[in-house]
Amino acid sequence: MPDRSPTLYDLFARTAERTPDALALADPPNKRRITGDEPVELTYAQAEIAVASLSSQFIRSGLPAGSIVAVQLANTVEFPLTLLAAWRAGLVVALLPQLWRQAELAEALNRIGARAIVTTGRIELIDHADLAMHAAAEAFSIRHVMGFGSDLPDGMTPLDWRQREAFAPNLSINARKAAIASFDITKAGMTAVPRSHVNLIAGGLAIFMESALPPGAQIVTTALLSSFAGLASSIVLWLLTGGALRLHHPFDPQVLAEQIRAGECDTLIAPAELALRAQSALIDAQPSLRHVIGLWRTPERVASSPEWKTASAKLTDVYLFSEMGLLALNRQDDGTPAPMTLTAAKSHQDTSRAGELLLTPKGTLGLRGPMVALAAYRPPHKTETSLLPPEMPPDYVDTGYPAKRTGQDGEIMLTGTPAGIANVGGYRFREDDLEQWARRLAPGTVMMALPDPLNGFRLAGRSNENARARGALAELGLNPLMTEAFRQRERQA
């Protein structure tokens, strides 16, 4: 019997057929500063034509169904259009974090065997077209380097969603086949995490059911789309509600407030720490807001976070366990975080399971659910036989977060962060890697992860010549979080 589960493109196409004239996507108002292009707004009918055009361009370039296309784009309409076009053409999208530079890009492209890379001419002051060309030169599998924007370098194929051509037919895709591949940093190093359309929809449903977003929700998101959490909380929620998605390129509070007011947005997706800090300055000042989806890249800090005091908008805490999965819980009536429990997480309106937690024998949190990519995190199979039961059921993954019981009703609390991993604003690093990169510089150079109230951790470096260390790391192709760890700091008088 054929698989009848819808793909993410199917969800989009159904809404486009039902409400073609409704607003679908909107650029950040400051797009010209970000990529050099003018901001646009697209109805579902316009977006559908743009998606079909991009899909045809992918197919015409010779990319067969099942090929992996790596994407590094800003939070503009080109990102969701590229995702939908790739899925329409039966391609798998590899999500490349925006701060990654040549070293990480080349490693990721080689690890997954990507056939193409899609980027834009520039994002802010960074020449991403040049980055893509150099990274592609180190990846033997790359056959196409594609880009949006003008003034692209020689050898890069231009993409244009405004282009009109004979559209290729929509391919019939199995929703249980891979739709994306994201990247995680574990103790073993960089790990590619494939997910199907079903996995992605399950992640979005976990948030959708808990937050009870209305049909046709008017959403503004500051979440970067280059991770499982970014897609599930933004793209999937948008497709599930059939509303409008306004993209914000983080982070400009004034521009964000303008977007909320102009679009009369009822839903904001943002880092939870920022939402809690901006309750009076931003949230209370926006009477249209009814739902705030707060993303916690540092889930161990939820229990000790401030109370949510905004009565007009409901806060949903979303615990993010790197690329493994997520858990969504609404704040209690008094504004305090709801307790995590070992029982199944259920929606507010039915008993369907969105996820389940357990404590592992190692005292860490285990996660199970239809969103979890088991194969990427499952430990190597042990060949020896044993009469003892396995440490964990085969359908769980170990998040690595230390946890303990706090009550009689299955309540648990996270007590720390995964050992050996530093999380800096959603970017994860192995602490061993930081030490190895520091040893490649001048003697006495030190790089470490220090606690930070907003990002969880921040990278700090110390060297006899900070400017030279910063330049050397940039030449090695490392991302700005590493290079700027050695920025010159002003001395206090």
Side-chain angles (χ1 to χ4, degrees):
M1 183 176 179
D3 180 77
R4 297 187 180 279
S5 300
T7 66
L8 290 159
Y9 175 76
D10 291 335
L11 297 181
F12 167 76
R14 291 175 186 179
T15 304
E17 182 179 4
R18 187 174 63 252
T19 57
D21 297 326
L23 179 66
L25 294 166
D27 267 323
N30 57 344
K31 183 180 181 180
R32 186 171 183 81
R33 178 181 63 80
I34 300 165
T35 65
D37 298 320
E38 295 297 330
V40 298
E41 294 186 350
L42 299 176
T43 65
Y44 274 94
Q46 292 169 331
E48 188 174 35
I49 294 173
V51 167
S53 176
L54 286 176
S55 178
S56 298
Q57 291 171 56
F58 287 143
I59 294 173
R60 193 179 67 243
S61 70
L63 289 170
S67 298
I68 298 177
V69 177
V71 174
Q72 189 180 49
L73 292 169
N75 264 23
T76 60
V77 298
E78 283 77 12
F79 207 147
L81 291 177
T82 299
L83 290 170
L84 291 167
W87 293 330
R88 186 182 189 274
L91 305 175
V92 180
V93 179
L95 305 172
L96 302 176
Q98 198 177 112
L99 287 186
W100 276 9
R101 298 297 182 254
Q102 189 170 339
E104 292 109 330
L105 291 176
E107 181 181 357
L109 294 174
N110 282 310
R111 185 172 294 272
I112 60 175
R115 294 284 295 272
I117 181 171
V118 175
T119 188
T120 187
R122 69 171 175 87
I123 303 177
E124 304 284 353
L125 300 178
I126 304 301
D127 187 342
H128 279 260
D130 184 68
L131 279 176
M133 294 293 287
H134 281 86
E138 298 183 30
F140 296 110
S141 62
I142 293 292
R143 295 292 179 268
H144 306 276
V145 183
M146 304 174 171
F148 293 98
S150 57
D151 299 325
L152 299 177
D154 292 338
M156 177 172 278
T157 303
L159 289 174
D160 186 1
W161 55 264
R162 298 175 177 85
Q163 182 175 320
R164 299 293 183 262
E165 57 180 76
F167 299 149
N170 175 27
L171 298 182
S172 179
I173 305 300
N174 189 328
R176 299 186 183 277
K177 297 293 185 180
I180 67 162
S182 57
F183 296 91
D184 197 3
I185 302 297
T186 67
K187 292 181 180 179
M190 181 184 290
T191 300
V193 185
R195 272 192 170 85
S196 67
H197 294 267
V198 171
N199 297 147
L200 282 170
I201 292 172
L205 278 172
I207 305 173
F208 176 75
M209 292 189 298
E210 181 69 13
S211 60
L213 294 187
Q218 302 297 301
I219 302 171
V220 59
T221 181
T222 71
L224 292 172
L225 307 180
S226 52
S227 67
F228 163 64
L231 283 191
S233 65
S234 301
I235 297 295
V236 181
L237 278 186
W238 164 56
L239 296 175
L240 289 173
T241 63
L245 181 66
R246 290 171 172 81
L247 296 156
H248 177 84
H249 190 80
F251 188 76
D252 188 322
Q254 185 174 349
V255 172
L256 180 60
E258 176 189 339
Q259 287 182 274
I260 297 173
R261 281 195 301 271
E264 296 183 347
C265 296
D266 52 48
T267 303
L268 169 65
I269 301 167
E273 298 93 330
L274 290 173
L276 286 164
R277 288 189 174 194
Q279 287 186 70
S280 58
L282 177 63
I283 311 299
D284 289 340
Q286 305 296 332
S288 64
L289 280 180
R290 293 292 179 268
H291 304 270
V292 176
I293 310 297
L295 307 180
W296 288 94
R297 296 279 180 189
T298 52
E300 72 279 1
R301 297 189 177 188
V302 179
S304 59
S305 63
E307 294 180 3
W308 181 253
K309 299 179 180 179
T310 302
S312 59
K314 180 176 66 175
L315 174 63
T316 301
D317 292 311
V318 181
Y319 297 69
L320 306 181
F321 302 107
S322 65
E323 294 298 301
M324 299 178 189
L326 54 84
L327 177 70
L329 292 173
N330 288 329
R331 285 283 167 130
Q332 301 184 106
D333 293 339
D334 61 358
T336 58
M340 298 174 63
T341 66
L342 295 178
T343 56
K346 300 177 181 179
S347 77
H348 68 288
Q349 55 186 340
D350 59 37
T351 59
S352 60
R353 293 189 175 186
E356 191 172 355
L357 307 176
L358 88 162
L359 287 177
T360 73
K362 295 185 292 186
T364 54
L365 186 73
L367 182 65
R368 178 172 73 179
M371 74 184 79
V372 178
L374 293 171
Y377 295 99
R378 184 173 289 145
H381 179 69
K382 296 182 180 179
T383 56
E384 69 272 12
T385 59
S386 173
L387 297 177
L388 296 175
E391 289 187 354
M392 290 181 62
D395 54 352
Y396 280 88
V397 295
D398 185 352
T399 66
Y401 281 86
K404 67 178 182 180
R405 289 180 179 268
T406 60
Q408 299 298 322
D409 298 326
E411 295 183 7
I412 56 174
M413 180 176 68
L414 300 177
T415 59
T417 60
I421 301 292
N423 186 342
V424 181
Y427 291 82
R428 285 159 61 98
F429 301 89
R430 292 198 311 169
E431 293 180 356
D432 289 347
D433 288 342
L434 299 181
E435 295 177 3
Q436 290 179 14
W437 285 113
R439 284 198 293 267
R440 296 182 64 172
L441 302 176
T445 300
V446 176
M447 188 186 302
M448 67 196 78
L450 301 177
D452 182 84
L454 193 59
N455 291 320
F457 287 89
R458 59 182 174 85
L459 293 183
R462 185 183 64 204
S463 174
N464 292 332
E465 297 184 58
N466 277 358
R468 179 172 295 181
R470 189 167 61 248
L473 290 174
E475 288 182 7
L476 289 170
L478 299 183
N479 66 68
L481 292 177
M482 283 195 176
T483 59
E484 290 306 306
F486 290 93
R487 66 185 182 277
Q488 204 67 35
R489 294 169 177 80
E490 295 181 2
R491 294 184 177 180
Q492 295 183 351

